[in-house]
Amino acid sequence: MPRYLSLIRIDENNTPAEGPSPELMQRMGELIEEITKAGVMLDTAGLTPTAQGTRVHWENGQLSVTDGPFTETKEVIGGYALMQCKDKAEALEWTKRFLKVHEEFWTVTCEVREIAEG
């Protein structure tokens, strides 16, 4: 079965300072448990803020290293889900359910891509 990576994109500048609400975390935990029991979820995690990240860039034969935060970035990858699904439609259905557990004030985008095998 194909594997899919859902990249969870958030606007770091417009997320609640206190982070996700306990209710959101509970709904998310319940959904992750359901996806895992269904044999779909292979791995998932949130990522630390960009202020704690570092970018390594290669251009014209030169490396550059820049520590966060990255002020020019509006939308960042806030987490990921690695799923094994029968097809892209199934991966999209699980992703839609993930998005719907968020409160209305959240702005979250998931980019779902099949992992190229071999």
Side-chain angles (χ1 to χ4, degrees):
M1 282 202 311
R3 295 180 301 154
Y4 295 88
L5 182 63
S6 179
L7 298 168
I8 302 159
R9 298 180 183 273
I10 61 170
D11 180 348
E12 235 178 13
N13 299 319
N14 291 322
T15 58
E18 66 279 0
S21 68
E23 296 82 12
L24 171 57
M25 293 306 294
Q26 180 178 344
R27 289 190 304 272
M28 197 176 304
E30 290 168 357
L31 180 60
I32 290 170
E33 183 178 338
E34 182 182 349
I35 297 171
T36 302
K37 284 182 179 177
V40 170
M41 184 68 73
L42 300 176
D43 192 23
T44 187
L47 301 176
T48 58
T50 58
Q52 298 172 25
T54 302
R55 286 186 179 162
V56 181
H57 182 76
W58 174 258
E59 184 176 3
N60 296 323
Q62 298 292 315
L63 279 174
S64 63
V65 179
T66 307
D67 290 330
F70 312 112
T71 55
E72 73 281 0
T73 303
K74 180 180 177 188
E75 195 176 69
V76 300
I77 299 173
Y80 69 93
L82 179 60
M83 301 176 287
Q84 188 164 16
C85 302
K86 63 183 179 211
D87 55 26
K88 188 174 185 179
E90 182 184 17
L92 291 173
E93 281 306 311
W94 285 114
T95 299
K96 290 175 188 175
R97 288 188 60 193
F98 168 77
L99 290 172
K100 288 180 180 179
V101 302
H102 290 77
E103 292 97 351
E104 290 183 9
F105 58 84
W106 281 87
T107 301
V108 184
T109 302
C110 289
E111 179 181 336
V112 178
R113 298 174 60 187
E114 185 173 351
I115 295 174
E117 302 290 346

